[in-house]
Coordinates of all heavy atoms in Angstrom, one line a residue:
M971 N 0.8 -1.1 0.0 CA 0.0 0.0 0.0 C 0.9 1.3 0.0 O 1.8 1.5 0.8 CB -0.8 0.0 1.2 CG -1.7 1.1 1.3 SD -2.8 0.8 2.8 CE -3.4 2.4 3.0
T972 N 0.7 2.0 -0.9 CA 1.4 3.2 -1.1 C 0.7 4.6 -0.5 O -0.5 4.6 -0.7 CB 2.0 3.6 -2.5 OG1 0.8 3.7 -3.3 CG2 2.8 2.5 -3.0
T973 N 1.3 5.5 -0.1 CA 0.7 6.6 0.4 C 1.1 7.9 -0.5 O 2.3 7.9 -0.8 CB 0.9 7.1 1.8 OG1 2.3 7.2 2.0 CG2 0.4 5.9 2.8
S974 N 0.2 8.6 -0.8 CA 0.5 9.9 -1.6 C 1.2 11.0 -0.7 O 0.8 10.9 0.5 CB -0.7 10.3 -2.4 OG -1.7 10.8 -1.7
S975 N 1.6 11.9 -1.3 CA 2.1 13.1 -0.5 C 1.0 14.0 0.0 O 1.2 14.8 1.0 CB 3.2 14.0 -1.3 OG 2.6 14.5 -2.4
R976 N -0.2 13.7 -0.5 CA -1.3 14.6 -0.2 C -1.7 14.2 1.2 O -2.3 15.0 1.9 CB -2.5 14.5 -1.1 CG -2.2 15.4 -2.3 CD -3.2 15.4 -3.2 NE -3.1 16.3 -4.5 CZ -3.9 16.7 -5.2 NH1 -5.2 16.3 -5.0 NH2 -3.6 17.4 -6.3
T977 N -1.7 12.9 1.6 CA -2.2 12.3 2.6 C -1.2 12.2 3.7 O -1.4 12.1 4.9 CB -2.9 10.9 2.5 OG1 -1.9 10.0 1.9 CG2 -4.0 11.0 1.6
T978 N 0.2 12.1 3.3 CA 1.2 12.2 4.3 C 1.6 13.5 4.6 O 1.9 14.3 3.9 CB 2.4 11.4 3.6 OG1 2.0 10.2 3.1 CG2 3.5 11.1 4.7
P979 N 1.8 13.7 6.0 CA 2.2 15.0 6.5 C 3.7 15.3 6.0 O 4.4 14.3 5.9 CB 2.2 15.1 8.0 CG 2.0 13.6 8.3 CD 1.4 12.9 7.2
P980 N 4.1 16.5 5.7 CA 5.3 16.9 5.2 C 6.5 16.3 6.0 O 7.5 16.1 5.5 CB 5.3 18.3 5.1 CG 4.0 18.8 5.0 CD 3.4 17.8 5.8
A981 N 6.3 16.3 7.3 CA 7.3 15.9 8.2 C 7.7 14.4 8.2 O 8.6 13.8 8.4 CB 7.1 16.3 9.6
A982 N 6.7 13.6 7.5 CA 6.8 12.1 7.6 C 7.4 11.6 6.2 O 7.5 10.5 5.9 CB 5.4 11.5 7.9
I983 N 7.6 12.5 5.2 CA 8.0 12.2 3.9 C 9.4 11.9 4.0 O 10.2 12.7 4.5 CB 7.8 13.3 2.9 CG1 6.3 13.5 2.6 CG2 8.5 13.0 1.4 CD1 5.9 14.6 1.8
P984 N 10.0 10.7 3.5 CA 11.4 10.3 3.7 C 12.3 11.3 2.7 O 11.8 11.6 1.7 CB 11.5 9.0 3.2 CG 10.2 8.4 3.2 CD 9.1 9.6 3.0
G985 N 13.4 11.7 3.4 CA 14.2 12.7 2.6 C 14.0 14.2 2.7 O 14.6 15.0 2.3
R986 N 12.9 14.5 3.6 CA 12.6 15.9 3.7 C 12.8 16.2 5.3 O 12.4 15.4 6.2 CB 11.1 16.2 3.5 CG 10.9 16.2 2.0 CD 9.6 16.8 1.6 NE 9.4 18.2 1.9 CZ 8.4 18.9 1.9 NH1 7.3 18.4 1.2 NH2 8.3 20.1 2.2
L987 N 13.2 17.4 5.5 CA 13.4 17.9 6.9 C 12.0 18.2 7.4 O 11.1 18.8 6.7 CB 14.3 19.1 6.9 CG 15.8 19.0 6.7 CD1 16.4 20.2 6.6 CD2 16.4 18.0 7.8
P988 N 11.8 18.1 8.8 CA 10.5 18.5 9.4 C 10.5 20.1 9.4 O 11.5 20.7 9.2 CB 10.6 18.0 10.8 CG 11.8 17.0 10.9 CD 12.6 17.3 9.7
R989 N 9.4 20.4 9.5 CA 9.0 22.0 9.3 C 9.9 22.7 10.4 O 10.4 23.8 10.1 CB 7.6 22.4 9.5 CG 6.8 21.9 8.3 CD 5.4 22.6 8.4 NE 4.6 22.1 7.3 CZ 3.4 22.5 7.1 NH1 2.8 23.3 8.1 NH2 2.8 22.2 6.0
L990 N 9.9 22.1 11.6 CA 10.8 22.9 12.6 C 12.2 23.0 12.3 O 12.9 23.9 12.6 CB 10.5 22.1 14.0 CG 11.2 22.7 15.3 CD1 10.5 24.2 15.5 CD2 11.0 21.7 16.4
S991 N 12.8 21.9 11.8 CA 14.2 22.0 11.3 C 14.4 23.0 10.2 O 15.4 23.6 10.1 CB 14.7 20.5 10.9 OG 14.6 19.6 11.9
R992 N 13.4 23.1 9.3 CA 13.6 24.1 8.1 C 13.5 25.4 8.8 O 14.2 26.3 8.3 CB 12.6 23.7 7.1 CG 12.9 22.6 6.3 CD 12.0 22.5 5.1 NE 10.8 21.9 5.6 CZ 9.6 22.0 5.0 NH1 9.5 22.6 3.8 NH2 8.5 21.6 5.5
L993 N 12.8 25.6 9.6 CA 12.6 26.8 10.3 C 13.8 27.4 11.2 O 14.4 28.4 11.0 CB 11.2 26.9 11.1 CG 10.9 28.4 11.8 CD1 10.8 29.3 10.6 CD2 9.7 28.2 12.6
G994 N 14.3 26.4 11.8 CA 15.5 26.5 12.6 C 16.7 26.8 11.7 O 17.5 27.8 12.0
L995 N 16.9 26.1 10.6 CA 17.9 26.4 9.7 C 17.7 27.8 9.0 O 18.8 28.5 8.9 CB 17.9 25.5 8.5 CG 18.5 24.0 8.9 CD1 18.3 23.0 7.8 CD2 19.9 24.0 9.4
L996 N 16.6 28.2 8.8 CA 16.3 29.6 8.2 C 16.7 30.7 9.2 O 17.3 31.7 8.9 CB 14.9 29.6 7.8 CG 14.5 30.9 7.2 CD1 15.0 31.2 5.8 CD2 12.9 31.1 7.2
L997 N 16.3 30.4 10.5 CA 16.6 31.4 11.4 C 18.0 31.3 12.0 O 18.5 32.3 12.8 CB 15.6 31.2 12.7 CG 14.3 31.4 12.4 CD1 13.2 31.0 13.8 CD2 14.0 32.9 12.3
Y998 N 18.8 30.4 11.7 CA 20.1 30.2 12.4 C 21.1 31.3 12.2 O 21.8 31.8 13.2 CB 20.9 28.9 11.8 CG 22.3 28.8 12.4 CD1 22.4 28.2 13.8 CD2 23.3 28.9 11.5 CE1 23.7 28.1 14.2 CE2 24.6 28.6 12.1 CZ 24.7 28.2 13.4 OH 26.0 28.2 13.9
P999 N 21.4 31.8 10.9 CA 22.3 32.9 10.8 C 21.8 34.3 11.7 O 22.7 35.0 12.2 CB 22.1 33.3 9.3 CG 21.5 32.1 8.6 CD 20.7 31.5 9.6
F1000 N 20.4 34.6 11.7 CA 19.9 35.6 12.4 C 20.1 35.5 13.8 O 20.6 36.3 14.7 CB 18.5 36.0 12.0 CG 18.4 36.2 10.5 CD1 17.8 35.1 9.8 CD2 18.8 37.3 9.9 CE1 17.6 35.2 8.3 CE2 18.8 37.5 8.5 CZ 18.1 36.4 7.7
V1001 N 19.8 34.3 14.4 CA 19.8 34.0 15.7 C 21.3 34.0 16.3 O 21.6 34.5 17.3 CB 19.1 32.7 16.1 CG1 19.5 32.2 17.5 CG2 17.7 32.8 15.8
T1002 N 22.3 33.4 15.3 CA 23.7 33.3 15.7 C 24.4 34.7 15.9 O 25.0 35.1 16.6 CB 24.4 32.5 14.7 OG1 23.9 31.2 14.8 CG2 25.9 32.3 15.1
A1003 N 23.8 35.6 14.9 CA 24.3 37.1 14.9 C 24.0 37.7 16.1 O 24.6 38.5 16.8 CB 23.8 37.8 13.6
A1004 N 22.6 37.5 16.7 CA 22.1 38.1 17.8 C 22.9 37.6 19.1 O 23.1 38.3 19.9 CB 20.5 37.8 17.9
V1005 N 23.1 36.2 19.1 CA 23.9 35.7 20.2 C 25.2 36.3 20.2 O 25.8 36.6 21.3 CB 23.9 34.1 20.1 CG1 24.8 33.6 21.0 CG2 22.5 33.6 20.2
A1006 N 25.9 36.5 19.1 CA 27.2 37.0 19.1 C 27.2 38.5 19.6 O 28.1 38.9 20.4 CB 27.9 37.0 17.7
I1007 N 26.3 39.2 19.2 CA 26.1 40.7 19.5 C 25.9 40.7 21.1 O 26.6 41.4 22.0 CB 25.0 41.4 18.9 CG1 25.4 41.5 17.5 CG2 24.7 42.8 19.6 CD1 24.4 42.1 16.6
N1008 N 25.1 39.8 21.7 CA 24.8 39.8 23.1 C 26.0 39.2 23.8 O 26.3 39.8 24.9 CB 23.6 38.9 23.4 CG 22.3 39.5 23.0 OD1 22.0 40.6 23.2 ND2 21.3 38.8 22.4
L1009 N 26.7 38.4 23.3 CA 27.9 37.9 24.0 C 29.0 39.0 24.1 O 29.6 39.2 25.1 CB 28.5 36.6 23.3 CG 27.8 35.4 23.5 CD1 28.4 34.1 22.6 CD2 27.9 35.0 25.1
F1010 N 29.1 39.7 23.0 CA 30.1 40.9 23.0 C 29.7 41.9 24.0 O 30.6 42.3 24.7 CB 30.2 41.4 21.5 CG 31.1 42.5 21.5 CD1 32.5 42.3 21.5 CD2 30.7 43.8 21.2 CE1 33.4 43.3 21.4 CE2 31.5 45.0 21.2 CZ 32.9 44.7 21.2
M1011 N 28.6 42.2 24.1 CA 28.0 43.3 24.9 C 28.1 42.8 26.4 O 28.5 43.5 27.4 CB 26.5 43.6 24.7 CG 26.2 44.4 23.5 SD 27.1 45.9 23.5 CE 26.9 46.5 21.9
L1012 N 27.9 41.4 26.7 CA 28.1 40.8 27.9 C 29.6 41.0 28.5 O 29.9 41.3 29.5 CB 27.7 39.4 28.1 CG 27.6 38.7 29.3 CD1 26.5 39.4 30.2 CD2 27.2 37.3 29.1
G1013 N 30.5 40.8 27.4 CA 32.0 41.0 27.7 C 32.3 42.2 28.0 O 33.2 42.5 28.9
L1014 N 31.6 43.3 27.4 CA 32.0 44.6 27.7 C 31.5 45.0 29.1 O 32.1 45.7 29.9 CB 31.2 45.6 26.7 CG 31.7 45.7 25.2 CD1 31.1 46.5 24.4 CD2 33.3 46.1 25.3
M1015 N 30.3 44.5 29.5 CA 29.7 44.8 30.8 C 30.6 44.0 31.9 O 30.7 44.4 33.0 CB 28.3 44.3 30.9 CG 27.4 45.2 30.2 SD 25.6 44.8 30.5 CE 25.5 43.2 30.0
G1016 N 31.3 42.8 31.4 CA 32.1 42.1 32.4 C 33.3 42.9 32.8 O 34.0 42.6 33.7
Q1017 N 33.7 43.8 31.9 CA 34.9 44.8 32.3 C 34.7 45.5 33.4 O 35.6 45.8 34.3 CB 35.4 45.5 31.1 CG 35.9 44.9 29.9 CD 36.3 45.9 28.9 OE1 35.5 46.8 28.5 NE2 37.6 45.9 28.5
A1018 N 33.5 45.8 33.7 CA 33.2 46.6 34.9 C 33.3 45.7 36.2 O 33.5 46.2 37.4 CB 31.6 47.2 34.9
L1019 N 33.2 44.5 36.0 CA 33.4 43.5 37.2 C 34.9 43.0 37.3 O 35.1 42.1 38.1 CB 32.5 42.4 37.1 CG 30.9 42.7 37.1 CD1 30.1 41.4 36.8 CD2 30.6 43.4 38.4
G1020 N 35.7 43.4 36.3 CA 37.0 43.0 36.4 C 37.5 42.0 35.5 O 38.6 41.4 35.5
F1021 N 36.6 41.4 34.6 CA 36.9 40.4 33.7 C 37.5 40.9 32.4 O 37.3 42.0 32.2 CB 35.6 39.7 33.2 CG 34.9 38.8 34.3 CD1 33.7 39.3 35.0 CD2 35.5 37.7 34.9 CE1 33.0 38.6 35.9 CE2 34.8 37.0 35.9 CZ 33.6 37.4 36.5
A1022 N 38.2 40.0 31.6 CA 38.9 40.5 30.3 C 37.8 40.7 29.4 O 36.7 40.1 29.4 CB 39.8 39.5 29.9
A1023 N 38.0 41.7 28.5 CA 37.1 42.1 27.4 C 36.9 40.7 26.4 O 38.0 40.1 26.2 CB 37.4 43.2 26.6
L1024 N 35.8 40.5 25.9 CA 35.7 39.5 24.8 C 35.7 40.2 23.6 O 35.0 41.2 23.2 CB 34.3 38.8 25.2 CG 33.9 37.5 24.3 CD1 34.9 36.5 24.7 CD2 32.5 37.2 24.5
S1025 N 36.6 39.6 22.8 CA 36.8 40.2 21.4 C 35.6 39.9 20.5 O 35.0 38.8 20.7 CB 38.2 39.7 20.8 OG 38.0 38.5 20.4
P1026 N 35.3 40.6 19.4 CA 34.4 40.3 18.5 C 34.5 39.0 17.9 O 33.5 38.1 17.7 CB 34.3 41.4 17.5 CG 35.0 42.6 18.1 CD 35.9 42.0 19.2
T1027 N 35.7 38.5 17.5 CA 36.0 37.4 16.9 C 35.7 36.2 17.9 O 35.0 35.1 17.5 CB 37.4 37.2 16.5 OG1 37.8 38.3 15.7 CG2 37.7 35.9 15.8
A1028 N 36.1 36.4 19.2 CA 35.7 35.3 20.2 C 34.2 35.2 20.4 O 33.7 34.2 20.6 CB 36.5 35.7 21.5
A1029 N 33.6 36.3 20.5 CA 32.2 36.3 20.6 C 31.5 35.6 19.4 O 30.5 34.7 19.7 CB 31.6 37.8 20.8
L1030 N 32.0 35.9 18.3 CA 31.4 35.1 17.1 C 31.7 33.6 17.1 O 30.7 32.8 16.8 CB 31.9 35.7 15.7 CG 31.4 35.1 14.5 CD1 29.9 35.4 14.6 CD2 31.9 35.8 13.3
L1031 N 33.0 33.3 17.5 CA 33.2 31.7 17.7 C 32.4 31.1 18.6 O 31.9 30.0 18.6 CB 34.8 31.6 18.0 CG 35.6 32.0 16.7 CD1 37.1 31.9 17.3 CD2 35.3 31.0 15.5
W1032 N 32.1 31.8 19.8 CA 31.3 31.1 20.9 C 29.9 31.1 20.4 O 29.2 30.2 20.9 CB 31.4 32.0 22.2 CG 32.5 31.7 23.0 CD1 33.8 32.3 23.1 CD2 32.7 30.6 24.0 NE1 34.6 31.6 24.0 CE2 33.9 30.7 24.5 CE3 31.7 29.6 24.4 CZ2 34.3 29.8 25.5 CZ3 32.2 28.6 25.4 CH2 33.5 28.7 25.9
A1033 N 29.4 32.2 19.6 CA 28.1 32.1 19.1 C 27.7 31.0 18.1 O 26.5 30.7 18.0 CB 27.7 33.4 18.4
L1034 N 28.7 30.4 17.5 CA 28.4 29.4 16.5 C 27.7 28.2 17.1 O 26.7 27.7 16.6 CB 29.6 29.1 15.7 CG 30.2 30.2 14.7 CD1 31.5 29.6 14.2 CD2 29.2 30.4 13.6
P1035 N 28.3 27.6 18.1 CA 27.6 26.5 18.8 C 26.3 27.0 19.6 O 25.3 26.2 19.6 CB 28.6 25.7 19.7 CG 29.4 26.9 20.0 CD 29.5 27.7 18.8
L1036 N 26.4 28.1 20.3 CA 25.3 28.6 21.1 C 24.1 29.0 20.2 O 23.0 28.8 20.7 CB 25.7 29.7 22.0 CG 26.7 29.4 23.0 CD1 27.2 30.6 23.7 CD2 26.1 28.3 24.1
G1037 N 24.4 29.4 19.0 CA 23.3 29.9 18.1 C 22.5 28.7 17.7 O 21.2 28.8 17.3
L1038 N 23.1 27.5 17.5 CA 22.4 26.3 17.1 C 21.1 26.0 18.3 O 20.1 25.8 17.6 CB 23.2 25.1 17.0 CG 22.7 23.7 16.6 CD1 22.1 23.9 15.2 CD2 23.6 22.7 16.6
H1039 N 21.5 26.0 19.4 CA 20.5 25.8 20.4 C 19.5 26.9 20.5 O 18.3 26.6 20.7 CB 21.2 25.6 21.7 CG 22.0 24.4 21.9 ND1 21.8 23.2 21.8 CD2 23.4 24.4 22.0 CE1 22.8 22.3 21.9 NE2 23.9 23.1 22.0
A1040 N 20.0 28.1 20.3 CA 19.0 29.2 20.4 C 18.0 29.2 19.2 O 17.0 29.7 19.3 CB 19.9 30.5 20.4
S1041 N 18.6 28.7 18.0 CA 17.7 28.8 16.9 C 16.7 27.7 17.0 O 15.5 27.9 16.7 CB 18.4 28.6 15.6 OG 19.1 27.2 15.6
V1042 N 16.9 26.6 17.7 CA 15.8 25.6 17.8 C 14.9 26.2 18.8 O 13.6 26.1 18.5 CB 16.5 24.3 18.6 CG1 15.5 23.4 19.0 CG2 17.4 23.6 17.5
L1043 N 15.4 26.8 19.9 CA 14.3 27.4 20.8 C 13.5 28.5 20.1 O 12.2 28.6 20.2 CB 15.1 28.0 22.0 CG 15.6 27.1 22.9 CD1 16.5 27.8 24.0 CD2 14.6 26.1 23.5
A1044 N 14.1 29.4 19.1 CA 13.5 30.4 18.5 C 12.5 29.7 17.4 O 11.3 30.3 17.4 CB 14.4 31.3 17.7
A1045 N 12.8 28.6 16.8 CA 11.9 27.9 15.9 C 10.7 27.5 16.6 O 9.5 27.5 16.1 CB 12.7 26.8 15.0
R1046 N 10.9 26.8 17.8 CA 9.8 26.4 18.6 C 8.8 27.4 19.0 O 7.6 27.4 19.0 CB 10.3 25.6 19.9 CG 10.9 24.3 19.6 CD 11.2 23.7 20.9 NE 11.9 22.4 20.6 CZ 12.6 21.7 21.7 NH1 12.7 22.2 22.9 NH2 13.2 20.7 21.2
W1047 N 9.4 28.6 19.3 CA 8.7 29.8 19.8 C 7.8 30.3 18.6 O 6.6 30.6 18.7 CB 9.6 30.9 20.3 CG 8.9 32.2 20.7 CD1 7.9 32.3 21.6 CD2 9.1 33.4 20.0 NE1 7.7 33.7 21.6 CE2 8.4 34.4 20.7 CE3 9.9 33.7 19.0 CZ2 8.3 35.7 20.3 CZ3 9.9 35.1 18.6 CH2 9.1 36.1 19.4
V1048 N 8.4 30.4 17.3 CA 7.6 30.9 16.2 C 6.6 29.9 15.8 O 5.5 30.3 15.5 CB 8.7 31.1 15.0 CG1 7.9 31.4 13.7 CG2 9.6 32.3 15.4
R1049 N 6.9 28.6 15.8 CA 5.8 27.5 15.6 C 4.7 27.6 16.6 O 3.5 27.6 16.2 CB 6.4 26.2 15.6 CG 7.4 25.9 14.6 CD 6.8 25.7 13.2 NE 6.1 24.4 13.3 CZ 5.3 24.1 12.3 NH1 5.1 24.8 11.3 NH2 4.6 22.9 12.5
R1050 N 4.9 27.9 17.9 CA 3.9 28.1 18.8 C 3.1 29.3 18.5 O 1.9 29.3 18.6 CB 4.5 28.2 20.2 CG 3.4 28.2 21.3 CD 4.0 28.2 22.7 NE 5.0 29.2 22.9 CZ 4.6 30.5 23.1 NH1 3.5 30.9 23.2 NH2 5.6 31.4 23.4
L1051 N 3.6 30.4 18.2 CA 2.9 31.7 17.8 C 2.1 31.5 16.5 O 1.0 31.9 16.6 CB 4.0 32.8 17.7 CG 4.6 33.4 18.8 CD1 5.8 34.4 18.4 CD2 3.7 33.9 19.8
L1052 N 2.6 30.7 15.6 CA 1.8 30.4 14.4 C 0.7 29.6 14.7 O -0.5 29.8 14.3 CB 2.7 29.8 13.4 CG 3.7 30.8 12.7 CD1 4.6 30.0 11.7 CD2 3.0 31.8 11.8
A1053 N 0.8 28.5 15.5 CA -0.2 27.7 16.0 C -1.4 28.4 16.7 O -2.5 28.3 16.6 CB 0.3 26.6 16.9
E1054 N -0.9 29.4 17.6 CA -1.9 30.3 18.3 C -2.7 31.2 17.5 O -3.9 31.3 17.6 CB -1.2 31.2 19.4 CG -0.8 30.4 20.6 CD -0.1 31.3 21.7 OE1 -0.3 32.7 21.5 OE2 0.6 31.0 22.5
A1055 N -2.0 31.7 16.4 CA -2.7 32.6 15.4 C -3.6 31.7 14.4 O -4.2 32.3 13.6 CB -1.7 33.4 14.6
G1056 N -3.4 30.4 14.5 CA -4.3 29.7 13.6 C -3.7 29.5 12.2 O -4.5 29.2 11.2
G1057 N -2.4 29.9 12.1 CA -1.7 29.8 10.8 C -1.4 28.4 10.4 O -0.8 28.1 9.2
I1058 N -1.4 27.4 11.2 CA -0.8 26.1 11.0 C -2.1 25.1 11.2 O -2.8 25.1 11.9 CB 0.2 25.6 11.8 CG1 1.4 26.5 11.6 CG2 0.6 24.1 11.7 CD1 2.6 26.2 12.4

């Protein structure tokens, strides 16, 4: 018995990413940039407490793995907002 793509939800089609993953990949560059900016600003505020300043390059390197987790959370948040609005 075969199923057509009309009856199978897009997340269940083999070879396709679930909608949450696609949304997370779409948001990743923007979320990572936001994380990098926030880390850099946190490093600047840390100077008032006696910590060493965080360079923009170091903030960007730290933001690459942290942005992955933040983009998953952002994608979940956007999906929940869309579900509340009745868009899904």
Side-chain angles (χ1 to χ4, degrees):
M971 180 174 166
T972 61
T973 58
S974 69
S975 62
R976 288 186 178 194
T977 59
T978 306
I983 297 173
R986 285 192 64 182
L987 289 173
R989 285 186 182 182
L990 185 62
S991 296
R992 286 187 285 161
L993 183 59
L995 287 174
L996 179 70
L997 291 174
Y998 178 74
F1000 305 104
V1001 172
T1002 301
V1005 169
I1007 291 169
N1008 286 323
L1009 284 174
F1010 180 70
M1011 293 297 176
L1012 188 62
L1014 290 178
M1015 288 190 297
Q1017 283 184 314
L1019 300 174
F1021 295 108
L1024 189 64
S1025 70
T1027 305
L1030 185 59
L1031 290 175
W1032 276 99
L1034 292 175
L1036 294 174
L1038 183 64
H1039 299 291
S1041 65
V1042 169
L1043 293 174
R1046 286 182 186 170
W1047 176 65
V1048 169
R1049 293 283 293 170
R1050 185 180 51 82
L1051 288 176
L1052 287 172
E1054 280 182 21
I1058 295 179

